[in-house]
Amino acid sequence: MVPKLIVTLDGPAGVGKSTMAKQLAKELSIPYLDTGAMFRAIAWKLGEGAWRWDETELEGEMAGFDFTLSGVGETSILSLNGVEIGDEIRTEQVGMWASNVATLPVVRTFLKQAQRSIGDRFALVAEGRDMGTAIFPDAPYKFFLDATVEERARRRFLQLRDMGKPAELEELKEQIEARDLQDRSRTVAPLKPADDAITIDTTDLSKTEVFEALVQGVKK
């Protein structure tokens, strides 16, 4: 394995990035970094309405935040201040909070530094929304996964159902559309494929087919 190998995997909400990133990291025997979980963890830790705080106040709070990563592949563990980040961040409400704080330059600057610091120490499969464009622009392997809103809402519906958290399909679709609009239109690091990324439309592909496309992309 080449030291400090970085593979970036970007895409919108509900496209299945986490599943693919974990599987690819396992295949490559390197850690998996869920950067979306970092935004969610900050949003959850700060609480509702933090995106309306004064910038200085936010900086002061985040100065006490320390992210660490351990493990490989699907066993990778992301922790905040020594505590493993769990399902408490995986609600639709926290997801929207995360999208709100993600529009703030002060938050993005803090997390860019935290993510690059982790990338300096590990080879990674880094999953998020701007990994290939803003965080690791020199990564040798970049992918952008996409799918229709309807298909992403369906996948999220099934995921929540399997977690014992039933939701309304139409409501999920509306939430995903709202996050898409906010993520794609923000002025700082908007959601978009890197110019040199391989884009994969997963709408009509199985998980196996998507994974095989990723592996072939890295092998090239």
Side-chain angles (χ1 to χ4, degrees):
M1 180 56 59
V2 179
K4 306 296 171 48
L5 167 66
I6 303 291
V7 181
T8 63
L9 193 57
D10 291 314
V15 79
K17 301 186 300 295
S18 296
T19 300
M20 290 298 106
K22 289 176 184 177
Q23 195 171 345
L24 184 60
K26 180 180 180 181
E27 176 77 10
L28 299 173
S29 297
I30 60 178
Y32 149 70
L33 178 63
D34 181 356
T35 62
M38 297 174 79
F39 279 98
R40 283 173 172 263
I42 280 184
W44 178 78
K45 192 77 171 176
L46 294 175
E48 185 173 9
W51 49 91
R52 292 189 287 269
W53 292 3
D54 178 82
E55 184 174 288
T56 302
E57 186 178 5
L58 282 169
E59 284 181 329
E61 286 292 323
M62 291 188 298
F65 292 169
D66 179 43
F67 286 97
T68 54
L69 182 67
S70 62
V72 170
E74 60 191 4
T75 65
S76 298
I77 296 173
L78 182 65
S79 299
L80 175 58
N81 294 344
V83 179
E84 181 179 349
I85 297 169
D87 288 341
E88 69 275 359
I89 69 167
R90 299 298 178 184
T91 67
E92 293 305 308
Q93 181 184 51
V94 174
M96 200 64 214
W97 291 1
S99 187
N100 287 336
V101 300
T103 65
L104 305 177
V106 64
V107 173
R108 301 201 72 86
T109 296
F110 172 80
L111 283 179
K112 178 190 284 189
Q113 294 171 345
Q115 290 155 6
R116 285 182 172 175
S117 177
I118 292 173
D120 286 340
R121 298 195 300 273
F122 300 102
L124 289 175
V125 174
E127 174 241 318
R129 289 195 177 29
D130 62 352
M131 293 298 99
T133 54
I135 308 303
F136 301 113
D138 297 324
Y141 305 104
K142 301 177 184 178
F143 300 94
F144 189 90
L145 302 186
D146 210 347
T148 63
V149 171
E150 290 77 13
E151 177 60 16
R152 288 186 282 136
R154 186 189 71 84
R155 293 174 186 173
R156 182 62 174 155
F157 174 82
L158 295 176
Q159 180 187 36
L160 289 171
R161 185 194 65 182
D162 291 344
M163 293 169 63
K165 299 178 180 179
E168 292 292 332
L169 184 60
E170 191 59 33
E171 184 178 349
L172 288 174
K173 179 182 174 183
E174 292 173 0
Q175 290 171 342
I176 287 174
E177 287 176 329
R179 289 190 63 187
D180 279 356
L181 178 62
Q182 185 157 269
D183 290 341
R184 294 180 191 274
S185 61
R186 63 176 177 244
T187 56
V188 180
L191 171 66
K192 64 178 182 178
D195 291 338
D196 54 347
I198 297 174
T199 297
I200 303 173
D201 185 340
T202 72
T203 302
D204 297 317
L205 299 180
S206 67
K207 291 180 180 179
T208 299
E209 289 170 328
V210 176
F211 179 66
E212 288 176 350
L214 293 172
V215 171
Q216 288 304 311
V218 172
K219 286 183 177 180
K220 289 181 182 179

